[in-house]
Amino acid sequence: MANVVVIGAQWGDEGKGKITDLLSRSADVVVRYQGGVNAGHTIVVDDEVLKLHLIPSGILYKDTSCLIGSGTVVDPKILLKEIDMLIENGIDISGLKISSTSHVTMPYHRLLDEAMESDRGSNKIGTTGRGIGPTYADKSQRNGIRIRDLLNEDRLRDVLEIPLKEKNGLLEKIYGIKPLCKDEIIKEYLNYGQRLSMHVVDCTRTIHSAAKNKKNILFEGAQGTLLDLDHGTYPFVTSSNPISGGACIGAGVGPTLIDRVIGVAKAYTTRVGEGPFPTELQGSINDQLCDRGSEFGTTTGRRRRCGWFDGIIGKYAVYVNGLDCLAITKLDVLDELDEIQVCIAYELDGKEIDYFPTNSDDLKKCKPIFKKLKGWQCSTANCRQLSDLPENAMNYLRFLAELMEVPIAIVSLGANRDQTIVIEDPIHGPKRALLR
């Protein structure tokens, strides 16, 4: 049996939803451990496109329990829309569970997020405007609303008093926004609480009960390594910890419970929003990657910035997360290129470096040093095993595995479930008997 963490090894949008969906077949419990509705997973099932923001993609498997953990911030309005969407598609949501101690994104959080981002002007961070940062800020200030608070009117009225007074003052006096009505919020959010009550559980006890009963647990992160609040390209980051260590905090488990960590990376690199991006491309190749890869954000619809694969941030992700193996996604997007480049080092202030500079000002000055590889210029969309791949595609994968010093376990060649090559079972197979 194995308990596994799946993380994004770049700036998010790596295709974790599909990989989590694949691994969920072997999981009894899937735990979303951080982030909020600023994240999004797109799953394609029998040509049906399902977009999820909070509910783990494991919900598509009838016998899999899906838990939204304590480290996640929950917008109940959007969560209920997801639940209704799944029900309309005939998907059983009885296995959905929500931690009673997850913090709630309130209407003032969204208003403040939008107002603060607008006020930054040219210094904007590139937030989704979904209220995630302000929700986590209230959590840190011990001023937040939790899921359990939505289950009792007296409690909600009591815990809402101080934060609403404070936020209304900010909205009205600083941003010129009409203050919110307490009674209206209470009525709306009590209704959400009533609808969600059947799914609310003690997160830590639920997970440890599963572990005690030898269940396979899959911990699912949102966003990616380079968006980590502490270890990413600060301040152009998210407000939580997507790295593998965040799973222990957000789910309420000790590190000894984790058996292995799987990183997901695209065969190239993308990022959404602001911030330095050394391998970013401009012009026709950027457009080609964006169009072939459908590089538009699941949550915001924003066009993603595209660039060549960055081996420096890849190696950084390997040791920050303790990766055991990799899943490489969207290899097929590179099919038409005659030449592919991979960043193997940076030039910073005239000197070559092979490490990731954690100072964003330094990263902004970094110039990528590339290794050129031959493309394969034929379709890989129908490849289902390694022997089906063209030789240059295999050479490319081997180069990535060697560069990052971690084996590749899965290769994804399209959005559909069956467009996947599983080289070795990444959960139960030998840790190092994979492509490298």
Side-chain angles (χ1 to χ4, degrees), residues 32-54:
R32 166 73 179 275
Y33 61 83
Q34 50 75 226
V37 296
N38 55 338
H41 291 328
T42 300
I43 310 295
V44 180
V45 183
D46 298 328
D47 295 324
E48 184 74 29
V49 178
L50 302 176
K51 295 186 177 183
L52 300 172
H53 299 274
L54 283 166

Side-chain angles (χ1 to χ4, degrees), residues 248-259:
C248 296
I249 298 169
V253 301
T256 53
L257 190 70
I258 307 300
D259 295 304

Side-chain angles (χ1 to χ4, degrees), residues 267-297:
Y268 49 102
T269 310
T270 64
R271 79 172 298 178
V272 171
E274 309 302 316
F277 184 0
T279 66
E280 183 172 11
L281 289 162
Q282 305 292 336
S284 60
I285 298 181
N286 172 75
D287 294 340
Q288 185 175 352
L289 292 177
C290 187
D291 293 340
R292 281 185 56 82
S294 298
E295 296 298 350
F296 299 90

Side-chain angles (χ1 to χ4, degrees), residues 84-101:
D84 291 340
M85 179 270 291
L86 291 171
I87 292 173
E88 287 171 8
N89 281 276
I91 295 168
D92 180 11
I93 53 93
S94 60
L96 176 63
K97 304 178 191 304
I98 307 164
S99 172
S100 62
T101 55

Side-chain angles (χ1 to χ4, degrees), residues 403-422:
L403 178 64
M404 292 188 291
E405 301 179 329
V406 68
I408 295 171
I410 300 170
V411 180
S412 174
L413 303 152
N416 288 307
R417 280 176 168 175
D418 65 330
Q419 292 180 298
T420 312
I421 299 173
V422 179

Side-chain angles (χ1 to χ4, degrees), residues 140-393:
S140 296
Q141 292 172 346
R142 282 86 64 177
N143 213 15
I145 310 296
R146 300 193 290 181
I147 287 290
R148 65 186 293 266
D149 300 326
L150 307 186
L151 307 181
N152 181 280
E153 181 174 352
D154 290 339
R155 177 163 183 82
L156 179 57
R157 190 173 293 276
D158 182 52
V159 297
L160 187 59
E161 182 70 33
I162 293 175
L164 183 59
K165 181 179 179 181
E166 176 188 281
K167 300 308 186 295
N168 272 340
L170 290 172
L171 290 171
E172 187 174 21
K173 296 175 183 177
I174 296 179
Y175 298 109
I177 297 173
K178 183 180 177 181
L180 299 170
C181 174
K182 183 177 182 179
D183 288 337
E184 289 179 3
I185 292 175
I186 289 172
K187 181 180 179 181
E188 179 182 0
Y189 280 75
L190 281 175
N191 181 56
Y192 295 151
Q194 184 178 14
R195 287 195 60 192
L196 294 172
S197 60
M198 67 183 73
H199 301 286
V200 178
V201 298
D202 179 325
C203 174
T204 303
R205 198 156 59 109
T206 300
I207 294 173
H208 282 271
S209 175
K212 186 177 180 180
N213 288 295
K214 306 298 182 185
K215 301 293 185 181
N216 283 341
I217 305 172
L218 185 64
F219 298 90
E220 174 188 19
Q223 289 94 27
T225 299
L226 276 296
L227 292 178
D228 188 271
L229 180 61
D230 294 300
H231 303 286
T233 50
Y234 191 90
F236 306 102
V237 294
T238 192
S239 301
S240 58
N241 294 106
I243 63 169
S244 60
C248 296
I249 298 169
V253 301
T256 53
L257 190 70
I258 307 300
D259 295 304
R260 61 178 66 188
V261 183
I262 300 172
V264 184
K266 278 179 185 165
Y268 49 102
T269 310
T270 64
R271 79 172 298 178
V272 171
E274 309 302 316
F277 184 0
T279 66
E280 183 172 11
L281 289 162
Q282 305 292 336
S284 60
I285 298 181
N286 172 75
D287 294 340
Q288 185 175 352
L289 292 177
C290 187
D291 293 340
R292 281 185 56 82
S294 298
E295 296 298 350
F296 299 90
T298 302
T299 299
T300 64
R302 289 183 294 185
R303 184 183 178 94
R304 295 175 184 139
R305 300 155 64 190
C306 297
W308 296 121
F309 189 93
D310 191 329
I312 301 303
I313 69 170
K315 288 192 288 186
Y316 178 71
V318 168
Y319 65 74
V320 168
N321 293 290
L323 297 185
D324 292 297
C325 59
L326 281 166
I328 298 295
T329 64
K330 294 196 174 185
L331 183 69
D332 57 300
V333 174
L334 305 179
D335 284 351
E336 296 179 357
L337 301 177
D338 62 342
E339 182 180 271
I340 301 166
Q341 299 193 55
V342 176
C343 176
I344 58 172
Y346 294 148
E347 181 186 315
L348 175 61
D349 296 330
K351 296 181 180 179
E352 182 176 324
I353 62 171
D354 62 357
Y355 59 87
F356 174 73
T358 54
N359 184 324
S360 287
D361 290 336
D362 285 342
L363 185 62
K364 192 181 299 183
K365 294 187 291 184
C366 284
K367 298 178 182 178
I369 298 172
F370 289 114
K371 168 77 174 179
K372 294 181 180 179
L373 292 93
K374 291 182 179 180
W376 43 96
Q377 295 186 285
C378 61
S379 176
T380 59
N382 294 319
C383 296
R384 297 296 179 268
Q385 52 190 4
L386 285 180
S387 58
D388 295 335
L389 288 172
E391 182 180 356
N392 284 347

